């Protein structure tokens, strides 16, 4: 939305802000398209308040606004002057004519021109443009302008507009298809009206406009024919899943076709396929299986098991983390390229997965995909490819490249829709490790997500706090994340093992992941959970395991954790060596904020810091000891390290002195200390070396 506004308003920040303020919330969130005529911003109105134009020049400029093609020849016929005369006249100061095309010198003028014209003036210009295009033999453009010129319903205009919109949709021009299909719906009646509403709805979701799609397609289920309801069910399921955060909780069999028409059964099959994949993206195994059963029943009726059922079920199972299915692959952008790329990466060959995506983007792959038939070139299909590529780059450790790819895609594609908002999660995480904060672009993407997706923000805040050195705040965020269910996108792999090892059952179900990603996560959890006593015997093996991680970013995380543990054990030389390795690897991957955080730790280790200026040791210890001790052992150890007696601890925690002694003894054993004095020394040393 912001990218289009910037283009249409010449990058004028004031005009953009004023226009955004005048838009509806769904338009601001990208859930509906921007209006064809942007609201007139006050700054634009002021800018052109003194502009005077002859009626002829005003008509020419209005024609330039309304003409979809942006070519000069039809406008020359419309106006009657030659390109040279237009360019040299007063109106030429407002237009750029080059290589047979025309554009406004200042795009803000187009907004002002349209705001000045009334409905009657626009209709008159559309009527004249219709005659121009019909005389040129361009019946597509002529029919469009004829329909726009009509002040009353014209059912005869609908069939051609529907045909034009369908052609544009299949070519990937979903925004224009939506515009024309919406115009067709305004003129059509009966079955043609259902067809136009269907086309408008599927074009809307293909562009990422979930609320717009839900309105168009939802209307079919109130009074539309069954044929069109079944065809629109796929798009409606996608739209509702994004708007509500979950696939609608309905019985798949309730949509079973009542006819024997193969086209109806195939439409039901595709709807079940979409629902199964969407449930998998959200980690809902039970619902995924229910829709997969419907998919099997539908494809059996039309003989589409191999082309549709098998690759879709393979994709759904891969996304949710089930690999015990046949290694099948379909064709086209989703069941071909995306499934193939994720499968290759999950088998350990990330580079091969990236090559598959690049071949598809270059037009070298098979384009037909029964899963998204007719929408292989849509913005949504391209968004799935872009988010998948970003994920694979993250897995490979190319943080900087991943962020660049996703940021570029987010300016043109609905990256918030694929994989239950994975693109937004990745945008936020990549911002944090590169910049140390969530940028406005990622925040804008976040605004388009449903509320249930907000739960992972606690992980983001924890990462940001950790990078800034506020370990207590990081631990607090992680604790809140766990208390709220620690759910997450199956492909996101959320985790803050640097703060605490995952508790049993608190990690989200992981979907497709390369073996190396699994190894790196397990190693970080092992480092976090190793007791001080165990560290003396296991540190060498742990450091050796880190060497086998090829991803520079994943290995850097492990090296930073190893360095921190050595620092806590008062072995600064080993600590600095591992931290310097981590710093270099973070820099190599492009994770500059992470590299800066590690550099800060190295500075603290290599400088003679005044102990009195060190962070409160108890806050640091609570974070670092949490993976090792139980909650009650941690509470007792914290109070003991702070100087409280066993009786005081018992009173504070409302337990007996004997219970305090038991918990304290277990904490001593796990932390490899023998007395309260050693515990206090360890606490202060931990703060000093962290």
């Amino acid at each position: 939305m912001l990218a289009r506004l910037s283009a249409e308003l010449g990058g004028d920040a004031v005009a953009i802000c004023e226009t955004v303020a005048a838009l509806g919330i769904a338009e601001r969130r990208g859930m509906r398209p921007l209006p064809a005529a942007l609201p007139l911003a006050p700054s634009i109105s002021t800018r052109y308040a003194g502009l005077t134009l002859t009626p002829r020049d005003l008509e020419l400029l209005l024609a330039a606004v309304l003409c979809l093609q942006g070519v000069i020849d039809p406008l020359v016929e419309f106006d009657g002057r030659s390109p040279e005369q237009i360019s040299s006249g007063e109106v030429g100061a407002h237009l750029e004519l080059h290589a047979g095309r025309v554009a406004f010198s200042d795009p803000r003028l187009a907004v002002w021109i349209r705001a000045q014209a009334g409905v009657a003036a626009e209709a008159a210009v559309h009527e004249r443009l219709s005659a121009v295009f019909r005389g040129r033999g361009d019946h597509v453009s002529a029919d469009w302008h004829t329909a726009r010129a009509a002040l009353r319903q014209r059912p005869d205009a609908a069939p051609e507009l529907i045909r034009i919109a369908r052609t544009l949709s299949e070519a990937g021009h979903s925004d224009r298809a939506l515009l024309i299909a919406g115009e067709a719906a305004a003129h059509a009646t009966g079955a043609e009206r259902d067809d136009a509403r269907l086309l408008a709805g599927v074009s809307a979701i293909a562009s990422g406009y979930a609320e717009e799609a839900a309105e168009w397609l939802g209307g079919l289920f109130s009074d539309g024919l069954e044929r069109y309801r079944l065809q629109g069910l796929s798009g409606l399921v996608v739209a509702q899943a994004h708007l509500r955060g979950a696939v609608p909780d309905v019985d798949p069999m309730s949509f079973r076709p009542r006819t024997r028409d193969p086209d109806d059964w195939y439409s039901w099959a595709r709807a079940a396929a979409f629902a199964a994949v969407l449930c998998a993206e959200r980690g809902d195994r039970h619902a995924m299986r229910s829709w997969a059963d419907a998919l099997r029943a539908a494809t059996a009726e039309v003989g589409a098991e191999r082309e549709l059922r098998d690759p879709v079920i393979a994709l759904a199972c891969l996304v949710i983390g089930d690999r015990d299915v046949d290694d099948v692959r379909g064709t086209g952008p989703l069941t071909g390229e995306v499934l193939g790329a994720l499968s290759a990466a999950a088998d350990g060959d990330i580079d091969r997965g990236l090559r598959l995506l690049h071949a598809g983007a270059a037009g070298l792959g098979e384009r037909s995909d029964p899963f998204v038939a007719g929408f292989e070139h849509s913005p949504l299909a391209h968004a799935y490819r872009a988010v998948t590529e970003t994920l694979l780059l993250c897995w490979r450790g190319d943080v900087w490249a991943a962020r660049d790819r996703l940021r570029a895609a987010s300016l043109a594609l609905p990256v918030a829709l694929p994989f239950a908002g994975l693109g937004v999660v990745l945008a936020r995480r990549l911002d944090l490790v590169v910049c140390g904060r969530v940028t406005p672009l990622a925040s804008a993407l976040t605004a388009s997500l449903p509320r249930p997706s907000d739960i992972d923000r606690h992980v983001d805040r924890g990462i940001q706090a950790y990078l800034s050195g506020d370990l207590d705040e990081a631990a607090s965020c992680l604790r809140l994340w766990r208390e709220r269910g620690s759910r997450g996108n199956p492909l996101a792999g959320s985790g803050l093992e640097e703060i605490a090892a995952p508790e049993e059952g608190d990690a989200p179900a992981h979907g497709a992941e390369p073996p190396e990603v699994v190894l790196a996560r397990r190693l970080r959890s092992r480092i976090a959970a190793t007791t001080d006593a165990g560290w003396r015997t296991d540190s060498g093996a742990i450091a050796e395991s880190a060497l086998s991680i090829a991803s520079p970013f994943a290995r850097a995380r492990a090296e930073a954790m190893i360095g921190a543990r050595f620092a806590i054990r008062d072995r600064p030389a080993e600590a600095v060596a591992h931290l310097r390795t981590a710093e270099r690897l973070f820099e190599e991957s492009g994770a500059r904020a992470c590299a800066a955080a590690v550099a800060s730790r190295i500075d603290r280790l290599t400088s003679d810091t005044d102990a009195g200026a060190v962070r409160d040791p108890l806050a640091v210890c609570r974070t670092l000891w949490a993976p090792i001790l139980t909650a009650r052992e941690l509470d007792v150890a914290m109070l003991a390290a702070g100087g409280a007696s066993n009786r005081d601890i018992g009173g504070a925690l409302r337990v007996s002195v004997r219970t305090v002694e038991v918990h304290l003894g277990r904490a001593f054993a796990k932390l490899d200390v023998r007395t309260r004095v050693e515990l206090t020394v360890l606490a202060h040393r931990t703060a000093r070396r962290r």
Side-chain angles (χ1 to χ4, degrees), residues 352-366:
R352 179 170 174 267
L354 288 169
R355 289 196 298 272
L356 286 171
L357 293 173
H358 295 162
L364 301 177
E366 295 180 84

Side-chain angles (χ1 to χ4, degrees), residues 159 174 190 202 276 312 314 330 357 379 381 493 576 586 589 639 654-655 659 685 687:
S174 300
V202 295
V312 165
L357 293 173
V576 170
F586 277 135
S589 70
L639 292 170
R654 297 183 180 180
V655 297
T659 300
R685 189 177 69 214

Side-chain angles (χ1 to χ4, degrees), residues 66 133 260 287 326 362 422 456 569 572 609 640:
L66 300 178
F133 281 109
R260 304 309 305 170
D326 293 336
L422 176 62
D456 269 359
R569 295 303 302 166
T609 305

